[in-house]
Amino acid sequence: MSNVDNSTGKAGLSEAELQELVAASDSGARAVPGTIGLFIAGVALVWSIFQILLASPWAPYLLPGDLINNSRQIHLAFAIFLSAMAYPLFKSAPKTYVPWYDWVLAIGGATLAMYGYIFYDKIVGNGGLADDTDAIFSLLGLVLLFIAAYRTLGPVMVALAVIFLLYVFFGASEVVPDQIRWAGASLRKAMSHMWITSEGVFGIALGVSTRFVFLFVLFGALLDKAGAGNYFIKMAFGALGHLRGGPAKAAVVGSAATGLISGSSIANVVTTGTFTIPLMKRVGFSAEKAGSVEVASSVNGQIMPPVMGAAAFLMVEYVGISYVEVITHAFLPAIISYIALVYIVHLEAVKNNMPTIGNKAVNMMNTVLGMFFFFAGFAALCYITQFPVRFITSMVPAGSGWVLAALLGAVYIGLLYLASTVPDLEPDDPNSEVVELPEIPKIYKSGLYYLLPIIVLVYFLMIERKSPGLSAFWATFLLFGILLTQKTLKAMFRGEPNAIGKVKDGLMDLVAGLIDGARNMIGIGLATATAGIIVGTVSLTGIGQVMADFVEFLSGGNLILMLVLVAILSLILGMGLPTTANYIVVSTLMVAVVVELGAQSGLVVPLIAVHLFVFYFGIMADVTPPVGLASFAAAAVSGGDAIKTGFTAFFYSLRTVALPFVFIFNTDLLLIDVTWVQGIIVFIIATIGILVFTAATMGWFLTKSRIWETVAMLVIAFALFRPGFFMDMIQPPYTAIEPAAFEEALEAAPVGRDLRVVISGPDFDTLEMKDLTVVLTVPEETGPARLDALGLALVPDGEMVALDEPMFGTPLSDQLSSFDFYGDTPVHISAVQAPANQWPKELMFIPALALLALIAFLQSRRAPAVAAARQKGVPA
């Protein structure tokens, strides 16, 4: 049955059509019955089992060493094989059986993916270099990879990879502009780099997909199969559904929760949207606005820790920090982004005087406090778990694992018994004549045990600091037990007949979850492999530096314009690339450029900030027309116009667009080098700032805003996010020191203090003069030994302080590697700055909040008159 929008008469897609839409994008639209269908499911099942064994602590005992060492090849072989089985090659290709040519492509692609595994001894004997035979088979492997990527990801990814590959072969051609021309590579050299070694297809990105991403995708599929998705949606609707615009607020919170389960924007839209979008339309949201709220909240599920999709794991490898640090830096922007989206929904409801659902008394303060205490309590529970664990570990060091497993099992059985005392949750029909709000006191018991795998995941990630793969393994291992036992134990607790017979149901759920997890990984595996060609091209040809020079030329050396260009590039590429591939491509080409240009502009930009910047705009591509897939999925549910839905969703996502620019210039938002107290203050102020920014963009605060109030609120938001900008106008943040006095200033500075030093000299590649700002943290050594600890060798030359090349392995060796230390013009220190005794930048919060209070006072005085006019039908 289709959903019909009463205002437009357009029909949304049926449930079956929506699931086919998700499948076509995420897991393959081909459904093959009979023996062949069982075989395909069996292959997916084997892939999941292999990945679970690979991630387990017993992998060295359960799997041969050569399988572990060549796991990337096996991972890609499964992905290529299943892509041919699950994704039709053409629109007209059969969807109920596998044609002969797909069997050829599947078997051929899987075999060539494992070429390095099959001929491992030969390749090692050749020193990792391809001979003529290797080169031919490698090229054929690339062709079959491109075919698999085309059918799974679309033509853009393939076209981009082919362009880069052609550049590898024909970079020396006269057709290529002089600025990017290079010597070119032979077929053997190119194929060695791209297919035989771990520099191209089988590089870092595919390694991350193999070691980490699969387990997290599988974790989400199993958690959803267990019933957690419906539980989270019900809880969100029960907590927020009675408020004005309640279904939309429930959609936001529910999508944030299901972001733990689904790394796919489209699946998130369909999972929560089939329930929330019709209810949003009931309370007054248009089809496009209802779809837009769902799109904005579902897409943001990818930036919500602790899972964050595949890109977070890639950041671990690219930035060189732990996964805990990545999610710590990403936490605050994600939280305030969702808070802002709830506020957007609230303002829409207030502006349009929308009705509420149900007869539950509305108490906004109690609701906000309830939500706060729930999430704070959950976080506290994850944190305090470490204390009983440590106690047991110290008391029973040899058998602590078994004791902890028994205690966890006892908690699970207790929570399951609690769940058996209430009916199982069934999905509601949002189109029924009477919509009953779930009552939290009656339903919360039914799914508390779903939190256990999440607690285990967070505990191992945050407290034990285990690897993401091992953390996901233990959480997934617990889900195995839940899926196998929950139905049987509930039936036993309820005294139902044939409780033991439900073991089979649990086993079928587990197998289905394992198959779904594998099918959901096909696109990610192929995206990371294909993106490896672009990464390999950059490392082989050095085109990254050329791209840097080109973008720097376009931006005129202006960092903000450079960031705008990077954002636009991410959005354009995202029109045809999945988020993960988009992130790999743009971060490979642009991150180093932004960091270097920032340093030349005197702004030291942390690497993680730029990676998160690229990631945020990568996910925005799922929203942005004309190819925003999440927007099309939401329009299919709502029956609204897809393009209009996309533009409205982009408007709702303005805070997601603004935040990356903010945290580039104010790294406090990423909780970099802040204490707990400072972190709390940053959270409070940032929340106020994002709410003020939201109110300004919506044109409504306590009532409809006047133009000057909107402008003032934008200024207030800017001051709250970047107080240092205004404080620097009042007091300079740094004191200038003559370069000749640098050594004395370094010796006199206290340990841990930062000195900003501008290094000038010729570029190693272009020989053009450039400036680079580096931050030197004063080491613990004293006197002249501090220079040695930093790797600096000063060569006084009159009034100039020249530098010798830093010693290898010292803090500055990598940062200054782009300078030519052996040319006629010496590399030298051109400026030194020490932090000045500036007033705390937080003082700027006082006038900003005072101005906000004035606006609130003025609006509160005219709000009653506006409300009365609206009651009479007079425009506000």
Side-chain angles (χ1 to χ4, degrees):
M1 180 179 178
S2 299
N3 304 320
V4 179
D5 181 359
N6 295 328
S7 62
T8 64
K10 292 182 180 180
L13 300 184
S14 67
E15 179 65 24
E17 291 170 323
L18 290 171
Q19 293 307 320
E20 184 178 350
L21 174 68
V22 175
S25 173
D26 293 338
S27 60
R30 180 179 283 154
V32 182
T35 305
I36 300 301
L38 291 175
F39 171 74
I40 296 170
V43 173
L45 181 62
V46 170
W47 190 14
S48 286
I49 293 172
F50 168 73
Q51 295 287 164
I52 292 166
L53 293 176
L54 185 66
S56 76
W58 314 294
Y61 311 103
L62 299 174
L63 296 174
D66 56 347
L67 281 182
I68 296 175
N69 294 335
N70 293 280
S71 56
R72 298 181 187 183
Q73 284 88 342
I74 297 169
H75 183 82
L76 181 59
F78 274 114
I80 291 179
F81 184 88
L82 288 173
S83 72
M85 298 292 103
Y87 290 84
L89 185 56
F90 312 107
K91 287 185 178 180
S92 59
K95 294 185 178 181
T96 56
Y97 69 92
V98 182
W100 66 269
Y101 54 83
D102 276 345
W103 284 106
V104 173
L105 294 173
I107 297 172
T111 303
L112 290 172
M114 292 197 294
Y115 187 86
Y117 170 61
I118 297 169
F119 297 101
Y120 179 77
D121 293 335
K122 173 191 172 186
I123 291 170
V124 171
N126 291 339
L129 298 176
D131 58 24
D132 291 336
T133 303
D134 296 333
I136 292 171
F137 279 110
S138 298
L139 183 60
L140 183 58
L142 282 178
V143 171
L144 295 184
L145 171 63
F146 288 158
I147 294 173
Y150 169 77
R151 71 164 81 224
T152 307
L153 307 170
V156 176
M157 184 82 222
V158 176
L160 198 61
V162 168
I163 290 170
F164 275 81
L165 197 59
L166 290 174
Y167 175 70
V168 169
F169 289 125
F170 304 109
S173 170
E174 294 183 358
V175 179
V176 178
D178 292 340
Q179 293 83 354
I180 62 172
R181 190 176 300 168
W182 84 295
S186 66
L187 179 64
R188 289 176 58 186
K189 181 178 180 181
M191 291 303 101
S192 294
H193 198 81
M194 294 297 179
W195 196 261
I196 301 299
T197 69
S198 58
E199 295 293 327
V201 170
F202 300 100
I204 289 176
L206 187 62
V208 169
S209 177
T210 304
R211 289 184 292 126
F212 302 144
V213 179
F214 193 105
L215 263 292
F216 277 84
V217 170
L218 181 61
F219 172 78
L222 293 176
L223 195 58
D224 186 44
K225 188 62 66 176
N230 184 45
Y231 177 72
F232 291 152
I233 293 172
K234 288 261 192 179
M235 287 289 288
F237 191 53
L240 302 170
H242 65 287
L243 302 176
R244 184 171 290 183
K249 293 171 182 173
V252 174
V253 176
S255 294
T258 52
L260 291 170
I261 297 174
S262 170
S264 164
S265 302
I266 299 170
N268 206 348
V269 165
V270 172
T271 300
T272 57
T274 50
F275 176 70
T276 58
I277 287 176
L279 290 177
M280 282 189 260
K281 290 161 63 178
R282 273 188 147 184
V283 297
F285 284 87
S286 67
E288 287 77 18
K289 286 187 176 181
S292 300
V293 170
E294 186 57 54
V295 168
S297 52
S298 294
V299 167
N300 270 23
Q302 293 187 67
I303 66 174
M304 179 60 70
V307 177
M308 287 182 63
F313 306 108
L314 289 162
M315 285 181 209
V316 172
E317 301 294 329
Y318 290 161
V319 183
I321 60 178
S322 70
Y323 186 72
V324 173
E325 291 177 282
V326 170
I327 61 179
T328 299
H329 297 321
F331 176 75
L332 185 55
I335 289 294
I336 64 175
S337 180
Y338 265 107
I339 290 173
L341 187 53
V342 172
Y343 191 48
I344 286 173
V345 168
H346 174 72
L347 292 179
E348 280 284 8
V350 172
K351 283 169 61 177
N352 296 286
N353 200 25
M354 293 180 181
T356 58
I357 290 180
N359 54 8
K360 186 176 178 181
V362 177
N363 190 318
M364 178 66 77
M365 184 56 67
N366 287 348
T367 301
V368 171
L369 290 176
M371 295 290 291
F372 171 78
F373 284 119
F374 172 78
F375 287 109
F378 179 73
L381 183 61
C382 293
Y383 179 76
I384 64 176
T385 302
Q386 62 182 307
F387 299 110
V389 170
R390 288 177 182 172
F391 175 75
I392 293 171
T393 304
S394 62
M395 293 295 292
V396 195
S400 58
W402 293 105
V403 174
L404 291 171
L407 287 175
L408 182 62
V411 172
Y412 165 61
I413 291 174
L415 292 177
L416 202 61
Y417 174 78
L418 198 64
S420 69
T421 61
V422 296
D424 291 336
L425 297 180
E426 298 292 339
D428 291 326
D429 179 9
N431 297 303
S432 62
E433 292 186 8
V434 178
V435 177
E436 295 186 6
L437 292 174
E439 296 184 36
I440 296 294
K442 292 183 179 179
I443 68 169
Y444 80 95
K445 299 177 184 178
S446 65
L448 283 176
Y449 63 94
Y450 293 135
L451 299 179
L452 288 179
I454 301 172
I455 292 173
V456 169
L457 177 65
V458 174
Y459 172 77
F460 276 104
L461 278 175
M462 304 294 290
I463 308 299
E464 291 286 341
R465 301 295 178 98
K466 301 294 185 184
S467 71
L470 187 59
S471 302
F473 168 78
W474 287 117
T476 302
F477 194 72
L478 176 57
L479 272 172
F480 279 15
I482 290 175
L483 280 162
L484 286 172
T485 62
Q486 62 173 348
K487 292 183 177 178
T488 300
L489 291 177
K490 279 184 186 179
M492 291 174 62
F493 290 142
R494 290 167 178 164
E496 297 177 4
N498 195 27
I500 301 299
K502 293 187 178 292
V503 172
K504 181 180 177 182
D505 295 339
L507 181 62
M508 296 304 295
D509 286 343
L510 174 59
V511 171
L514 291 171
I515 293 171
D516 288 347
R519 291 187 64 139
N520 290 341
M521 268 302 299
I522 298 171
I524 296 175
L526 292 172
T528 52
T530 310
I533 294 170
I534 296 163
V535 177
T537 301
V538 172
S539 63
L540 179 63
T541 65
I543 193 176
Q545 185 58 47
V546 179
M547 290 286 293
D549 295 339
F550 178 67
V551 174
E552 184 177 349
F553 169 75
L554 288 179
S555 64
N558 184 286
L559 181 59
I560 294 180
L561 184 55
M562 159 79 80
L563 292 172
V564 171
L565 290 174
V566 172
I568 293 172
L569 177 64
S570 296
L571 290 175
I572 293 173
L573 288 177
M575 291 180 183
L577 301 182
T579 304
T580 303
N582 187 4
Y583 166 73
I584 295 170
V585 173
V586 180
S587 63
T588 300
L589 296 175
M590 292 289 104
V591 164
V593 185
V594 175
V595 172
E596 183 177 347
L597 185 57
Q600 292 178 21
S601 304
L603 178 68
V604 179
V605 184
L607 200 55
I608 183 63
V610 190
H611 277 274
L612 284 172
F613 181 95
V614 172
F615 179 43
Y616 266 59
F617 280 97
I619 67 169
M620 281 302 299
D622 277 349
V623 177
T624 313
V627 196
L629 296 180
S631 298
F632 276 87
V637 177
S638 69
D641 180 82
I643 299 298
K644 188 175 179 181
T645 298
F647 279 114
T648 307
F650 185 83
F651 174 72
Y652 286 164
S653 300
L654 281 179
R655 82 261 181 251
T656 308
V657 174
L659 278 174
F661 287 95
V662 172
F663 60 59
I664 286 287
F665 294 96
N666 181 10
T667 57
D668 288 353
L669 278 176
L670 301 181
L671 302 180
I672 295 176
D673 296 329
V674 298
T675 63
W676 276 97
V677 174
Q678 290 173 325
I680 293 172
I681 294 173
V682 168
F683 171 71
I684 294 172
I685 295 299
T687 302
I688 296 173
I690 201 69
L691 295 179
V692 172
F693 175 80
T694 299
T697 56
M698 296 293 291
W700 192 284
F701 183 31
L702 302 181
T703 189
K704 186 176 181 180
S705 299
R706 291 170 177 166
I707 293 178
W708 76 267
E709 291 173 334
T710 296
V711 174
M713 282 192 285
L714 290 174
V715 173
I716 292 168
F718 183 78
L720 294 177
F721 280 125
R722 276 210 67 198
F725 178 83
F726 294 103
M727 183 57 72
D728 291 348
M729 292 181 177
I730 300 172
Q731 284 186 314
Y734 297 101
T735 300
I737 298 174
E738 289 296 324
F742 167 68
E743 186 172 359
E744 292 79 4
L746 180 65
E747 293 178 6
V751 175
R753 190 173 191 180
D754 289 338
L755 297 178
R756 295 167 63 92
V757 180
V758 180
I759 311 294
S760 302
D763 184 87
F764 185 81
D765 295 312
T766 65
L767 299 182
E768 295 181 1
M769 292 296 294
K770 70 174 185 178
D771 296 330
L772 182 70
T773 301
V774 296
V775 176
L776 303 180
T777 301
V778 177
E780 295 182 356
E781 288 79 3
T782 58
R786 287 184 169 177
L787 284 173
D788 295 335
L790 294 171
L792 287 174
L794 305 185
V795 184
D797 183 9
E799 295 184 359
M800 179 184 291
V801 179
L803 296 175
D804 272 343
E805 186 173 11
M807 291 178 285
F808 180 77
T810 57
L812 289 177
S813 60
D814 289 336
Q815 294 185 60
L816 303 186
S817 62
S818 61
F819 284 103
D820 182 7
F821 284 89
Y822 304 100
D824 296 332
T825 305
V827 179
H828 61 280
I829 296 176
S830 57
V832 180
Q833 296 177 323
N837 293 321
Q838 189 185 50
W839 292 341
K841 62 184 179 181
E842 289 77 11
L843 290 175
M844 298 309 303
F845 296 154
I846 297 175
L849 294 175
L851 179 57
L852 179 62
L854 174 62
I855 295 173
F857 172 73
L858 294 176
Q859 290 205 2
S860 65
R861 294 191 62 181
R862 69 173 189 271
V866 173
R870 292 172 66 202
Q871 289 289 341
K872 296 177 181 178
V874 179

